[in-house]
Amino acid sequence: MSVPSINTLCVQGGYTPGNGEPRQIPIIQSTTFKYDTADGMGKLFDLEAEGYFYSRLQNPTCDRVAAKITALEGGTAGMLTSSGQAANFFALFNICNAGDHIVSSSSIYGGTFNLIAVTMAKMGITATFVSPDCSDEELDAAFQPNTKAVFGETIANPALTVLDIERFAAAAHRHGVPLIVDNTFPTPVGCRPIEWGADIVTHSTTKYMDGHGGCVGGAIVDGGHFDWMAHADKFPGLTTPDESYHGITYAERFGMGGAFITKATAQLMRDFGCVQSPINAYMLNLGLESLHVRMARHCENGQAVAEFLAGHPKIAYVDYCGLPGDKYHERAKKYLPNGSCGVVSFGVKGGREAAAAFMEHLKLAAIETHVADARTCCLHPASTTHRQMNDEQLAAAGVRPDLVRMSCGLEDKADLIADIAQALDKI
């Protein structure tokens, strides 16, 4: 049989039960695992054998779900984390040390901006933020001798800019570093960044992958193409012995396809413990089984709402790459040919006060600090997720004071449009 389509992988990827085994991925709700001898367990600590000894590092349920996400992204290895924020932190910190530098798109989620610009800066890791639409010369100028990674979002939250993945990957590779892409909004159903040159892909599985607002989680997938040993001087954590783990050199022992995730598991998960629980992983897998069906409906609803808003006299602007006049429409044709996502960002004429009044009149769409699940919700980012940014930083991130982010769920699109219309009529 040929390689299964992504639709089939959503349903059956990552786990193939044997004769008489559970049809659904079993929940292994255990902190520890029994071994008959100390030597047998010792081989696990030396990474000389496969298996489990403590769920803070790895758990069978989590690994099977991670294997499905890895297959969906076309990667070689993957892991689950406790949140999308943990996934982005692990992906960056796995190759960055104090004194290192990151190049990042400025158009990213506010929480991730804060992680990179503030929290990681306290750890001695600095960053240069560039516009996703910067020239090649501006992008190259952002690199420093100590740059270790480039970061961006396929579709930025909430500005909905579309990253030119190939161009950012080419720049990263010219400077001998990997491109890390957060692919939360399109999911691998909409875009597979590894196929466009990205090296590491992250997700907040809390969003479309879970799909029901039930479980917080994250994921990291390694594309397996970045040659760490070819840039050994830049990545000593992967290319020199790890004395905290019995002198293992990850890139030598596990190769390009396994070194990154093995190090993140054996070292970072060991020390930070940002583990996803087995029950959350189980529920995440239930969401993944319908991801390919749900994303089509989210995109259909997002497109319909965007088209309605674009023609309404009380709307100042609409950001949605599915609209022919959108700045990123042509780029989306390349990277997102089957649709982007269900999130639409727009401005209400009258500014911040009008935007707040509009949201308060909505009946189907709830005001939530969330996005991308079965129920429609909305948010005013400048007052919530991005409130730590100053006006200059908000502008760089594409977040205007009047911007409303609406995440179109799985309801009937006619009902969503009717709800928006009645709310607009009241302001």
Side-chain angles (χ1 to χ4, degrees):
M1 181 180 176
S2 60
V3 177
S5 72
I6 198 163
N7 297 342
T8 300
L9 289 173
C10 281
V11 181
Q12 296 205 22
Y15 173 63
T16 303
N19 185 51
E21 292 183 344
R23 187 66 188 89
Q24 181 56 273
I25 291 177
I27 304 170
I28 309 300
Q29 192 68 38
S30 180
T31 59
T32 49
F33 302 82
K34 174 188 175 295
Y35 286 86
D36 293 333
T37 66
D39 287 342
M41 182 176 282
K43 290 180 180 179
L44 299 176
F45 279 86
D46 288 340
L47 301 181
E48 293 177 352
E50 294 185 2
Y52 304 89
F53 56 87
Y54 197 57
S55 282
R56 189 181 77 234
L57 280 85
Q58 287 180 283
N59 175 279
T61 305
C62 296
D63 280 359
R64 285 162 175 162
V65 179
K68 174 178 283 191
I69 296 173
T70 300
L72 291 173
E73 285 288 6
T76 58
M79 65 188 294
L80 299 186
T81 61
S82 57
S83 67
Q85 193 78 320
N88 283 333
F89 173 63
F90 273 23
L92 291 165
F93 197 60
N94 203 36
I95 51 177
C96 293
N97 297 313
D100 287 340
H101 174 258
I102 297 164
V103 173
S104 174
S105 168
S106 61
S107 186
I108 56 176
Y109 170 59
T112 309
F113 176 90
N114 195 66
L115 167 69
I116 295 172
V118 179
T119 302
M120 294 188 75
K122 294 177 182 177
M123 304 168 76
I125 300 168
T126 58
T128 298
F129 292 91
V130 297
S131 166
D133 304 317
C134 67
S135 66
D136 288 340
E137 292 74 21
E138 290 170 326
L139 183 53
D140 279 327
F143 286 84
Q144 301 176 7
N146 58 339
T147 299
K148 297 299 174 68
V150 178
F151 180 85
E153 296 176 359
T154 310
I155 302 174
N157 176 13
L160 303 186
T161 55
V162 178
L163 187 71
D164 191 341
I165 301 172
E166 271 194 319
R167 192 166 69 88
F168 271 69
H173 298 158
R174 280 197 301 273
H175 294 272
V177 302
L179 171 63
I180 301 172
V181 174
D182 185 327
N183 197 37
T184 295
F185 269 16
T187 81
V189 171
C191 180
R192 287 160 45 114
I194 292 168
E195 294 179 350
W196 297 103
D199 301 289
I200 309 293
V201 173
T202 63
H203 284 277
S204 170
T205 63
T206 316
K207 310 304 190 297
Y208 286 121
M209 285 188 166
D210 170 79
H212 303 91
C215 292
V216 175
I220 309 172
V221 175
D222 183 4
H225 300 306
F226 193 84
D227 190 344
W228 305 106
M229 291 304 294
H231 308 282
D233 58 326
K234 284 183 175 289
F235 306 103
L238 284 158
T239 61
T240 62
D242 178 5
E243 298 306 329
S244 75
Y245 227 101
H246 321 292
I248 283 175
T249 299
Y250 296 101
E252 290 180 352
R253 175 75 70 86
F254 301 102
M256 292 193 300
F260 186 89
I261 294 296
T262 302
K263 178 180 180 292
T265 301
Q267 194 180 84
L268 301 187
M269 194 63 85
R270 174 197 66 192
D271 293 344
F272 290 97
C274 301
V275 65
Q276 187 167 150
S277 72
I279 186 63
N280 277 28
Y282 175 85
M283 294 178 69
L284 165 59
N285 186 61
L286 295 180
L288 289 170
E289 289 177 349
S290 63
L291 180 64
H292 58 300
V293 180
R294 291 185 290 103
M295 285 306 296
R297 181 60 173 266
H298 283 297
C299 291
E300 177 187 346
N301 284 357
Q303 184 72 30
V305 165
E307 290 174 358
F308 171 78
L309 290 168
H312 199 285
K314 291 187 179 180
I315 298 299
Y317 60 87
V318 180
D319 293 326
Y320 190 76
C321 64
L323 294 175
D326 187 84
K327 180 179 181 179
Y328 297 99
H329 184 66
E330 292 303 315
R331 190 178 295 173
K333 285 183 180 179
K334 173 180 177 178
Y335 293 113
L336 305 157
N338 298 317
S340 58
C341 63
V343 181
V344 182
S345 292
F346 56 94
V348 180
K349 290 181 179 178
R352 184 187 295 255
E353 293 75 15
F358 160 74
M359 293 194 300
E360 290 168 7
H361 287 301
L362 290 167
K363 300 184 184 303
L364 286 179
I367 301 174
E368 299 177 13
T369 309
H370 191 48
V371 68
D373 71 25
R375 292 162 295 275
T376 296
C377 58
C378 61
L379 193 72
H380 184 240
S383 298
T384 54
T385 55
H386 290 64
R387 69 180 301 130
Q388 76 277 10
M389 292 183 173
N390 58 37
D391 288 346
E392 182 180 346
Q393 292 167 336
L394 283 171
V399 180
R400 285 160 278 194
D402 61 348
L403 185 145
V404 174
R405 183 191 71 185
M406 177 168 284
S407 174
C408 300
L410 301 179
E411 302 92 347
D412 190 288
K413 60 187 176 185
D415 292 335
L416 294 181
I417 291 172
D419 188 32
I420 294 168
Q422 65 83 25
L424 287 171
D425 287 344
K426 293 178 180 176
I427 62 170

